[in-house]
Amino acid sequence: MAVNLKGRSFLTLMDFTPEEIRYMLDLAHDLKAKKRAGIRNEVLKGKNIVLLFEKTSTRTRCSFEVACLDEGAHVTFLDSGSSQMGKKESLEDSAKVLGRFFDGIEYRGYEQKVVEDLAKYAGVPVWNGLTDVDHPTQILADLLTIEEHIKKPLSKVKVVFCGDIRNNMSYAWMYGCAKMGMHYVAYGPDVLAKELDQDILDKVQKVAEETGAVIEVTSNPECLKGADVLYSDVWASMGEEAEIPERVKLLTPFRIDMDMIKATENPDVIFLHCLPSFHDFETKMAKTQMEAGYDIREVTDEVFRSRHSKVFDEAENRMHTIKAVIVATIA
């Protein structure tokens, strides 16, 4: 079946069919191969892209900029200090103005409603670079990485997300696994399971019934058996320092270490992480917290640097999948 995504916004994987997601992954594989072969098609030549960042980033910004420049597009970067959006100008007015200047708009920030309203008013494709409840470009990169390192179809892959199962990455994984018929396990404390958004759980379970996916939430370590992927994210971000003592106490049992790797009983299990990661004490935040008595590492350095870890392939794949999304929607 032919797939045409031109003019579509990319706000959440829940907006796309499994066939459309498959198309974007296949396109990403192709674009990655062409880049490595030195083939540049410049299919975005003459296009203008604006990146709106309310939250700072390394991988997302670099991925979008390199992806655009590789294909001949021009990029404008606006952070919260260099735009009037939401301050002296309403979101609706800003979207309408930017939509007349640019062929596509990326947003990275907080509320999902902001990226949805940008898409509502801009009149051009809008791409979600991260919100509080979703991170769809990251999941595409993760799926691409899985296909490169796990020799089985996605529908046979089991992903176990370990730690803070309420965060945006956990929800984003639910969406991706539900759509692609995968087995997803949110492995974390029971107290956090009770805080999961029931509306989201109901939606992904409905999709799972159609695709054959399995979506589980548990605190039982038996769930690790047979995992193909162990995934984690930071327990606390900048600005959440006050919550660190409670988070460390709650989540330390779910730190990914070599014992957890062995518990999968899969010698080829891979470790993935959206990055940045606290895996040692070489960052200011990790060092400061350790001096205060709190080990905030969500994964041990041994796992992070082991043969199981594919985090840097995964980070590179952010650029290739983001390029695929942009090319698919505006080229």
Side-chain angles (χ1 to χ4, degrees), residues 246-265:
E246 180 184 352
R247 296 274 181 93
V248 168
K249 181 179 179 181
L250 191 63
L251 296 172
T252 293
F254 302 92
R255 176 181 293 130
I256 297 179
D257 56 17
M258 290 307 295
D259 286 337
M260 195 178 286
I261 292 286
K262 292 173 184 175
T264 68
E265 299 182 10

Side-chain angles (χ1 to χ4, degrees), residues 229-240:
V229 180
L230 294 186
Y231 204 102
S232 192
D233 194 4
V234 294
W235 295 344
S237 300
M238 298 299 290
E240 297 180 330

Side-chain angles (χ1 to χ4, degrees), residues 132 161 163-168 170-171 191-193 195-196 243 247:
D132 287 341
F161 184 98
D164 187 354
I165 57 176
R166 309 161 304 170
N167 74 9
N168 57 352
S170 179
Y171 285 129
V191 66
L192 298 187
E195 297 179 19
L196 288 170
E243 301 176 35
R247 296 274 181 93

